[in-house]
Amino acid sequence: MSFNIGLSGIRAASSDLNITGNNIANAGTVGFKGSRAEFGDVYAASILGSGSNAQGSGVLLGNVAQQFTQGNINYTENSLDLAVNGNGFFVTSNQGALSYTRAGYFGTDREGFITNNSGARLQGFAVNAVTGQINQGVQTDLRVDTRSADPRATTSVESTINLNSTNVRLPVWQQAYDQQIATAADPANPTPAEIQAAEDAAQATFDPTNSSTYNSSTSVNVFDSLGNPHTLTKYFVKTGGNEWDMFTLIDGRQVPGNQLPTDPGFAPQPTQLTFDTVGQLVTPQPLNNIAGWVPLDSSGQPTGADSPAAFDIDLTGTTQFASSFAVTAVVQDGFTTGELAGLSIDDEGLLVARYTNGQTRTQGQVVLANFANQQGLTPLGDTAWAQSSASGEPVVGAPQSGTLGAIQSGALEQSNVDLSEQLINLIIAQRNYQANAKTIQTEDAVTQTIINLR
């Protein structure tokens, strides 16, 4: 029996050496999880069971258990290199066959699908084409959409401005006003109609090409439905203590009508702004709707964009204080077309595309899977595992939901093998192998002694 006991010990030590050697060989393998040998003792038993003083019959390899502890995370320069910080596995599909991995080597194939270095496609939740929201629970192959981002026409321009309360009426404005008042029946007590006529004459002096006809101005780009940029400029003219006129031109043209200041019949059409005694704008917002605008190109020809285009101007928060003219905020919601400039994946696995027009768009969400018994997974090689009856069903969800960990983009999880520990295990396995060989050698010597008896 000692031969069999020693032989079982040699087999166990050999298995231990194989497992330890495999761990050492994969110490640099991304996403690799080290294994350990789990042994059990053996006792011979009769049909009625073993006695209380039964002798052992050796050892056997009970299990090779993989250790799914967290490996170190190293950062790379590739935004599609992914690491899981916490529980969970990436889900990949190879022609419909699902596998699970912690190795986050990912890139794109010629069709734009996100794949690992074995060609398996990364799984995730897609985006609803209508709502732009993530389709939670609908698992699919993740794909990078490299198409240009569609433009969007401006529908609103919001500005926060301070108009200088120390400004006075401009000489050209005042002169035109006074000249009209002088024609009143009683210049000292003009009627409302005569005052309105004087203000109309003063407003007519506005000329966007002559800075002496307005106090301040500011511009912002707006976009038509084809993504063509146009310059919207607001001009401000002081008309009273707390009164201002605002003239709005697009590409230097009056809206509506697209008239240039040099065109016959050009008549400036201001919007009146009123402030209270503490400098707050009291004119209801939004101010007006820029309607009847026909987008034109630099030569004055229609761009082919939707016509008429319209959008709101909102000056909420604008003030009139005794300080320099300043634009403290400006927001417009249109943008031109954009080309794909880069990709990023956040902690929740959202795949976000960045475009040259400054916009971003979510293109999907990486999913993670977890199992009730991770050690029950079946190793497939290439640092991947398959579901088995022992592992249980996968629990699939978005990163950072439930017990699932977070995604780290631009990083890879290294092997969790501790080389120092494995080298010590090598020494122990070697000693065990030598000791069991000694058992066989000793049994052989005893057997030879018995055979040599006469």
Side-chain angles (χ1 to χ4, degrees), residues 204-257:
T205 63
F206 168 71
D207 180 359
T209 64
N210 183 358
S211 60
S212 66
T213 63
Y214 54 87
N215 296 89
S216 306
S217 66
T218 181
S219 298
V220 63
N221 278 343
V222 295
F223 299 89
D224 61 28
S225 61
L226 296 180
N228 298 303
H230 303 270
T231 302
L232 180 146
T233 306
K234 297 186 286 289
Y235 301 87
F236 300 93
V237 179
K238 184 73 173 285
T239 62
N242 293 319
E243 304 290 334
W244 295 74
D245 281 344
M246 183 183 75
F247 298 87
T248 304
L249 275 68
I250 300 179
D251 293 335
R253 296 175 179 270
Q254 180 77 44
V255 178

Side-chain angles (χ1 to χ4, degrees), residues 255-453:
V255 178
N258 280 335
Q259 289 181 316
L260 290 169
T262 55
D263 292 341
F266 174 78
Q269 300 177 6
T271 299
Q272 293 183 340
L273 305 179
T274 302
F275 295 85
D276 60 19
T277 56
V278 292
Q280 302 299 317
L281 181 65
V282 296
T283 304
Q285 302 298 310
L287 280 174
N288 54 5
N289 184 276
I290 301 297
W293 170 44
V294 179
L296 303 178
D297 59 22
S298 58
S299 62
Q301 300 300 313
T303 64
D306 286 344
S307 178
F311 53 86
D312 292 325
I313 292 181
D314 193 326
L315 295 182
T316 299
T318 291
T319 56
Q320 181 195 230
F321 295 144
S323 60
S324 301
F325 172 82
V327 180
T328 56
V330 59
V331 177
Q332 66 84 30
D333 60 357
F335 48 81
T336 187
T337 185
E339 302 299 327
L340 183 65
L343 296 169
S344 63
I345 299 177
D346 66 11
D347 292 348
E348 296 181 352
L350 292 173
L351 174 63
V352 180
R354 293 180 288 104
Y355 296 90
T356 54
N357 59 3
Q359 302 302 305
T360 60
R361 179 186 300 167
T362 300
Q363 295 194 355
Q365 185 176 27
V366 178
V367 299
L368 296 178
N370 203 9
F371 296 85
N373 177 23
Q374 294 178 345
Q375 292 189 2
L377 292 169
T378 301
L380 299 177
D382 287 332
T383 325
W385 293 266
Q387 175 189 350
S388 72
S389 58
S391 68
E393 292 294 321
V395 178
V396 178
Q400 292 190 317
S401 66
T403 61
L404 296 173
I407 296 291
Q408 181 63 61
S409 177
L412 294 170
E413 181 188 6
Q414 302 302 301
S415 168
N416 66 351
V417 171
D418 184 338
L419 276 177
S420 298
E421 179 183 351
Q422 297 304 312
L423 292 174
I424 293 173
N425 286 345
L426 276 182
I427 297 173
I428 295 173
Q430 180 186 17
R431 295 295 187 190
N432 289 340
Y433 195 102
Q434 292 172 334
N436 282 282
K438 197 67 175 178
T439 298
I440 295 175
Q441 183 183 6
T442 302
E443 181 66 20
D444 178 60
V446 172
T447 303
Q448 288 297 325
T449 300
I450 295 174
I451 292 173
N452 292 334
L453 288 176

Side-chain angles (χ1 to χ4, degrees), residues 26-112:
N26 286 282
T29 302
V30 167
F32 178 80
K33 299 303 177 183
S35 301
R36 73 181 181 191
E38 297 179 349
F39 300 104
D41 54 357
V42 179
Y43 284 86
S46 68
I47 192 171
L48 297 178
S50 61
S52 59
N53 295 319
Q55 295 180 2
S57 297
V59 64
L60 58 78
L61 179 63
N63 186 33
V64 179
Q66 290 198 291
Q67 307 302 299
F68 288 93
T69 56
Q70 180 77 44
N72 293 328
I73 293 179
N74 287 349
Y75 293 90
T76 70
E77 299 297 327
N78 182 6
S79 62
L80 288 181
D81 282 345
L82 304 179
V84 179
N85 192 354
N87 293 324
F89 298 82
F90 298 113
V91 185
T92 59
S93 173
N94 189 356
Q95 302 296 322
L98 296 180
S99 58
Y100 306 90
T101 182
R102 297 276 294 194
Y105 289 120
F106 293 108
T108 55
D109 63 14
R110 64 181 182 180
E111 298 178 82

